[in-house]
Short mmCIF file of all heavy atoms in Angstrom, two decimals:
data_model
loop_
_atom_site.label_atom_id
_atom_site.label_comp_id
_atom_site.label_asym_id
_atom_site.label_seq_id
_atom_site.Cartn_x
_atom_site.Cartn_y
_atom_site.Cartn_z
N SER T 3 -56.40 -29.08 12.52
CA SER T 3 -55.50 -29.54 13.51
C SER T 3 -56.14 -30.47 14.56
O SER T 3 -55.50 -31.45 15.14
CB SER T 3 -54.82 -28.44 14.15
OG SER T 3 -55.81 -27.81 15.15
N SER T 4 -57.49 -30.41 14.65
CA SER T 4 -58.09 -31.32 15.72
C SER T 4 -58.16 -32.71 15.29
O SER T 4 -58.47 -33.61 15.96
CB SER T 4 -59.53 -30.73 15.82
OG SER T 4 -60.36 -30.82 14.59
N SER T 5 -57.85 -32.98 13.97
CA SER T 5 -57.81 -34.32 13.44
C SER T 5 -56.45 -35.03 13.64
O SER T 5 -56.31 -36.05 13.22
CB SER T 5 -58.22 -34.32 11.91
OG SER T 5 -57.14 -33.65 11.20
N HIS T 6 -55.53 -34.30 14.20
CA HIS T 6 -54.15 -34.79 14.36
C HIS T 6 -54.04 -36.02 15.18
O HIS T 6 -54.68 -36.13 16.34
CB HIS T 6 -53.34 -33.79 15.10
CG HIS T 6 -51.92 -34.39 15.66
ND1 HIS T 6 -50.98 -34.75 15.06
CD2 HIS T 6 -51.64 -34.61 16.89
CE1 HIS T 6 -50.13 -35.16 15.66
NE2 HIS T 6 -50.45 -35.15 16.94
N LEU T 7 -53.46 -37.08 14.77
CA LEU T 7 -53.00 -38.27 15.57
C LEU T 7 -51.68 -38.66 14.96
O LEU T 7 -51.41 -38.39 13.67
CB LEU T 7 -53.95 -39.46 15.41
CG LEU T 7 -55.10 -39.46 16.27
CD1 LEU T 7 -55.96 -40.69 15.98
CD2 LEU T 7 -54.74 -39.48 17.82
N PRO T 8 -50.68 -39.23 15.71
CA PRO T 8 -49.43 -39.50 15.32
C PRO T 8 -49.56 -40.50 14.16
O PRO T 8 -50.54 -41.23 13.88
CB PRO T 8 -48.68 -40.06 16.51
CG PRO T 8 -49.48 -39.59 17.79
CD PRO T 8 -50.93 -39.40 17.19
N LEU T 9 -48.30 -40.68 13.36
CA LEU T 9 -48.35 -41.44 12.19
C LEU T 9 -48.59 -42.97 12.51
O LEU T 9 -49.19 -43.68 11.71
CB LEU T 9 -47.00 -41.30 11.54
CG LEU T 9 -46.65 -40.02 10.97
CD1 LEU T 9 -45.20 -40.16 10.37
CD2 LEU T 9 -47.58 -39.59 9.92
N PHE T 10 -48.41 -43.37 13.72
CA PHE T 10 -48.53 -44.75 14.20
C PHE T 10 -50.06 -45.08 14.48
O PHE T 10 -50.36 -46.20 14.81
CB PHE T 10 -47.70 -45.11 15.34
CG PHE T 10 -47.89 -44.11 16.51
CD1 PHE T 10 -49.05 -44.24 17.37
CD2 PHE T 10 -46.86 -43.24 16.82
CE1 PHE T 10 -49.03 -43.29 18.42
CE2 PHE T 10 -46.85 -42.33 17.77
CZ PHE T 10 -48.02 -42.40 18.66
N SER T 11 -50.89 -44.07 14.10
CA SER T 11 -52.31 -44.24 14.37
C SER T 11 -52.89 -45.47 13.39
O SER T 11 -54.08 -45.76 13.50
CB SER T 11 -53.15 -43.06 14.18
OG SER T 11 -53.14 -42.60 12.98
N ILE T 12 -52.19 -45.84 12.38
CA ILE T 12 -52.63 -46.87 11.55
C ILE T 12 -52.81 -48.22 12.24
O ILE T 12 -53.26 -49.08 11.68
CB ILE T 12 -51.68 -46.97 10.19
CG1 ILE T 12 -50.23 -47.40 10.74
CG2 ILE T 12 -51.66 -45.86 9.38
CD1 ILE T 12 -49.25 -47.66 9.63
N LEU T 13 -52.28 -48.19 13.49
CA LEU T 13 -52.41 -49.51 14.23
C LEU T 13 -53.82 -49.68 14.83
O LEU T 13 -54.06 -50.71 15.51
CB LEU T 13 -51.38 -49.41 15.32
CG LEU T 13 -49.93 -49.58 14.86
CD1 LEU T 13 -49.03 -49.44 16.07
CD2 LEU T 13 -49.69 -50.95 14.16
N PHE T 14 -54.60 -48.61 14.71
CA PHE T 14 -56.03 -48.86 15.25
C PHE T 14 -56.71 -49.94 14.78
O PHE T 14 -56.88 -50.46 13.71
CB PHE T 14 -57.00 -47.61 14.80
CG PHE T 14 -56.63 -46.23 15.23
CD1 PHE T 14 -57.04 -45.16 14.65
CD2 PHE T 14 -55.89 -46.08 16.48
CE1 PHE T 14 -56.91 -43.80 15.28
CE2 PHE T 14 -55.69 -44.87 17.02
CZ PHE T 14 -56.14 -43.78 16.39
N VAL T 15 -57.28 -50.79 15.83
CA VAL T 15 -58.17 -51.89 15.52
C VAL T 15 -59.38 -51.83 16.34
O VAL T 15 -59.48 -51.05 17.31
CB VAL T 15 -57.49 -53.29 15.85
CG1 VAL T 15 -56.28 -53.50 14.92
CG2 VAL T 15 -57.05 -53.40 17.24
N MET T 16 -60.39 -52.60 16.15
CA MET T 16 -61.71 -52.54 16.80
C MET T 16 -61.63 -53.22 18.15
O MET T 16 -61.93 -54.43 18.27
CB MET T 16 -62.79 -53.01 15.96
CG MET T 16 -63.02 -52.19 14.79
SD MET T 16 -64.49 -52.60 13.90
CE MET T 16 -65.76 -52.29 15.03
N LEU T 17 -61.13 -52.62 19.16
CA LEU T 17 -61.06 -53.22 20.55
C LEU T 17 -61.54 -52.23 21.50
O LEU T 17 -61.44 -51.04 21.28
CB LEU T 17 -59.68 -53.67 21.02
CG LEU T 17 -59.32 -55.01 20.31
CD1 LEU T 17 -57.83 -55.34 20.57
CD2 LEU T 17 -60.04 -56.19 20.76
N GLY T 18 -62.19 -52.54 22.68
CA GLY T 18 -62.72 -51.63 23.63
C GLY T 18 -61.86 -51.54 24.85
O GLY T 18 -60.88 -52.13 25.02
N LEU T 19 -62.46 -50.96 25.86
CA LEU T 19 -61.75 -50.60 27.13
C LEU T 19 -62.80 -50.25 28.06
O LEU T 19 -63.97 -49.66 27.77
CB LEU T 19 -60.85 -49.49 26.82
CG LEU T 19 -60.09 -48.69 27.96
CD1 LEU T 19 -58.89 -48.05 27.31
CD2 LEU T 19 -60.82 -47.60 28.45
N THR T 20 -62.68 -50.52 29.22
CA THR T 20 -63.55 -50.16 30.39
C THR T 20 -62.87 -49.37 31.53
O THR T 20 -61.64 -49.55 31.66
CB THR T 20 -64.22 -51.51 30.95
OG1 THR T 20 -63.17 -52.34 31.60
CG2 THR T 20 -65.06 -52.24 30.05
N VAL T 21 -63.61 -48.64 32.28
CA VAL T 21 -63.04 -47.81 33.23
C VAL T 21 -63.70 -48.13 34.63
O VAL T 21 -64.79 -48.38 34.58
CB VAL T 21 -63.24 -46.25 32.90
CG1 VAL T 21 -64.68 -45.93 32.99
CG2 VAL T 21 -62.32 -45.48 33.75
#
Side-chain angles (χ1 to χ4, degrees):
S3 70
S4 64
S5 65
H6 161 73
L7 275 179
L9 295 178
F10 48 78
S11 60
I12 57 175
L13 295 173
F14 286 164
V15 297
M16 296 185 66
L17 283 171
L19 173 153
T20 56
V21 68

